[in-house]
Amino acid sequence: MPIKWNALLVSEAMDMVEGYVNQAIEPLEQAKLVATEARKIPNLPGYIDQHLVRLISEIERVTGGILPWNQQPHPGNVRAAITSVRESIPSGMVEAEKQKLDNGKQLSLVR
């Protein structure tokens, strides 16, 4: 027996998640800029620079950026996870549930 779940609610939840993620991206990008500038501090010890490089890499892993080994942009792990959820919803399910919802709100002329 198949389990009934609501693809529309999942899609709407991902819209909300994406909205919150978008709000968090800007402060993280600002933090990355500060860490990048900190690397330019004169006479910075190598062990401190390594930590800063790791910090910048972790921010880029979350937010996305350019992969250094191939110079290709990537969406970041958080956005990639949101995309994975959306792509896992069977094609047409969200639209079908929207249609059902809309039909339920309309008056039926035929009984």
Side-chain angles (χ1 to χ4, degrees), residues 13-33:
M14 289 305 96
D15 291 343
M16 289 178 66
V17 168
E18 189 170 44
Y20 288 122
V21 167
N22 288 339
Q23 291 175 16
I25 294 295
E26 180 63 29
L28 288 169
E29 289 293 330
Q30 292 297 320
K32 184 175 91 172
L33 288 173

Side-chain angles (χ1 to χ4, degrees), residues 61-81:
R61 185 178 60 79
V62 171
T63 63
I66 302 294
L67 295 172
W69 58 87
N70 65 6
Q71 297 301 304
Q72 295 296 314
H74 68 97
N77 289 352
V78 175
R79 289 180 192 218

Side-chain angles (χ1 to χ4, degrees), residues 40-111:
K40 299 175 185 174
I41 294 172
N43 304 315
L44 189 69
Y47 65 92
I48 298 291
D49 187 57
Q50 289 174 350
H51 292 305
L52 291 170
V53 168
R54 188 178 111 222
L55 173 60
I56 293 165
S57 295
E58 288 298 317
I59 292 170
E60 288 176 347
R61 185 178 60 79
V62 171
T63 63
I66 302 294
L67 295 172
W69 58 87
N70 65 6
Q71 297 301 304
Q72 295 296 314
H74 68 97
N77 289 352
V78 175
R79 289 180 192 218
I82 293 168
T83 299
S84 293
V85 171
R86 286 190 170 134
E87 289 175 349
S88 295
I89 299 171
S91 179
M93 247 180 114
V94 172
E95 293 78 18
E97 289 183 6
K98 281 181 184 177
Q99 187 66 36
K100 266 198 283 188
L101 190 62
D102 288 343
N103 288 343
K105 290 182 179 178
Q106 296 174 0
L107 292 174
S108 175
L109 300 177
V110 180
R111 290 191 185 234

